[in-house]
Amino acid sequence: MQIPHHCTLCPRACGADRAAGQRGFCGADNTLRVARAALHHWEEPCLSGDPNAKTGSGTVFFSGCTLKCCYCQNYPISQGEVGKAISVERLTEIFMNLQNGGAKNVNLVTASQYLPWVTAALEAARAQGFSLPVVYNTGGYETVDAVRALAGYVDIWLPDLKFYDPALGETCAGAPLAAELSAARDYPAVADAALRQMLLQTGAPVYDADGYLQKGVIVRHLALPGHVADSKAVLRRLAALREETGVEFIPSLMSQFTPFYKAAEHGLGRRITTYEYRQVIDEAVRLGLTDGYMQEKSSAREEYTPPFDLEGV
């Protein structure tokens, strides 16, 4: 395993000498930090199954993030200091513990800044009998090279496509939507290229006999209050990607936006209305993006965010 001396693991390519302990834009240095590793029951049903069952998705929440979303529900770990430094050997044990504890998959949440550590731990775990599908749960801000590097390690991609067309007119404080809300002006183009590679690399969804996803791509989009037009642009791009690649994927349209962290400072101080979300769903139906998931409005509750209490770490 090589810790980067000039880090280019994410699209920011900030060049931090992480091997020497310098922190990158993501907040990570030469240590691997994890905030929680436990069964999670509130992912898409093909990942976590029945929320009342003893199984679930074996989520591992990594500290730090390559995006800086002002409304992040995981902000204590993505932009705060919550997390525990662990070794690759301990991460390997965590993967095995999740498998032995009934997980249907191992779900790596915001792991991009730790790619060398993660692949080393997966190799070690597989040598010990690890056989679960690996889910890569990402905000979508990935380089194509990183996606390619994870071929053979990742079975299921779970990216967001947060924004697509910042020029639609939705601006906050005079800045394009993606730049203002996620500190990444290049997000639409970068996420689009990464998603294309995920689709071509992974192929159409494959399920086991119990309906759990074994391979494929689930694309999440969280509809934001006041930004219905941008959500429609995202959906149109997803439909176009399906046509361009010829690869089916699972759309997951989310209504759970809750004004966490600094959301209110950026014009996102309320939840999405039923009327707004209905417009997004209607556009998905019009485009044929119906073989997937949508949420009940009751999902917009704080309790769906797990406590980052170092459980399982």
Side-chain angles (χ1 to χ4, degrees), residues 18 23-29 31-37 60-68 74-86 91 108-115 117-118 308-310 313:
R18 291 177 57 190
R23 287 193 178 199
F25 179 92
C26 61
D29 52 22
T31 58
L32 169 65
R33 297 183 67 83
V34 174
R36 179 181 170 87
V60 182
F61 288 88
F62 294 87
S63 301
C65 185
T66 61
L67 286 171
K68 298 294 183 185
N74 295 343
Y75 67 91
I77 64 169
S78 66
Q79 300 181 51
E81 295 294 326
V82 176
K84 179 182 178 181
I86 64 171
L91 184 59
L108 310 176
V109 185
T110 59
S112 302
Q113 58 273 22
Y114 300 113
L115 193 150
W117 290 263
V118 167
F308 300 117
D309 53 6
L310 304 182
V313 180

Side-chain angles (χ1 to χ4, degrees), residues 15-283:
D17 187 353
R18 291 177 57 190
Q22 184 180 2
R23 287 193 178 199
F25 179 92
C26 61
D29 52 22
N30 56 3
T31 58
L32 169 65
R33 297 183 67 83
V34 174
R36 179 181 170 87
L39 295 182
H40 190 52
H41 307 289
W42 301 108
E43 302 287 41
E44 285 74 6
C46 65
L47 296 179
S48 55
D50 184 346
N52 297 314
K54 293 183 179 180
T55 59
S57 181
T59 50
V60 182
F61 288 88
F62 294 87
S63 301
C65 185
T66 61
L67 286 171
K68 298 294 183 185
C69 298
C70 70
Y71 57 90
C72 181
Q73 66 180 6
N74 295 343
Y75 67 91
I77 64 169
S78 66
Q79 300 181 51
E81 295 294 326
V82 176
K84 179 182 178 181
I86 64 171
S87 65
V88 167
E89 291 74 21
R90 177 56 188 153
L91 184 59
T92 301
E93 291 177 358
I94 287 171
F95 292 159
M96 298 305 297
N97 290 343
L98 289 169
Q99 176 169 279
N100 296 334
K104 292 296 183 179
N105 46 68
V106 160
N107 187 338
L108 310 176
V109 185
T110 59
S112 302
Q113 58 273 22
Y114 300 113
L115 193 150
W117 290 263
V118 167
T119 54
L122 285 172
E123 288 175 2
R126 285 173 175 168
Q128 297 176 28
F130 177 81
S131 60
L132 293 178
V134 174
V135 181
Y136 207 76
N137 190 331
T138 167
Y141 196 56
E142 305 286 348
T143 68
V144 170
D145 286 344
V147 176
R148 287 176 175 151
L150 286 162
Y153 294 101
V154 171
D155 305 287
I156 300 165
W157 292 95
L158 183 56
D160 295 326
L161 191 55
K162 295 178 182 291
F163 321 106
Y164 190 69
D165 188 0
L168 282 176
E170 288 84 11
T171 60
C172 294
L177 179 66
E180 180 69 11
L181 301 186
S182 293
R185 291 177 182 274
D186 59 349
Y187 177 87
V190 169
D192 186 272
L195 177 54
R196 175 187 291 273
Q197 182 62 29
M198 293 171 194
L199 291 167
L200 294 173
Q201 189 166 299
T202 310
V206 175
Y207 300 86
D208 69 8
D210 296 319
Y212 287 98
L213 190 64
Q214 303 297 293
K215 182 175 79 74
V217 180
I218 301 173
V219 185
R220 287 175 170 170
H221 174 66
L222 175 63
L224 298 176
H227 294 295
V228 169
D230 195 78
S231 287
K232 290 181 178 181
V234 166
L235 295 175
R236 289 193 294 271
R237 184 55 194 153
L238 288 177
L241 272 172
R242 181 181 58 186
E243 293 300 315
E244 292 167 12
T245 63
V247 179
E248 293 293 333
F249 58 88
I250 303 167
S252 182
L253 304 181
M254 304 165 69
S255 63
Q256 71 182 47
F257 175 81
T258 305
F260 283 113
Y261 195 39
K262 299 179 180 179
E265 299 173 20
H266 294 261
L268 299 175
R270 63 173 175 87
R271 292 171 176 165
I272 190 169
T273 66
T274 298
Y275 175 67
E276 287 173 316
Y277 188 55
R278 186 70 255 173
Q279 289 182 75
V280 176
I281 295 302
D282 288 347
E283 182 71 356

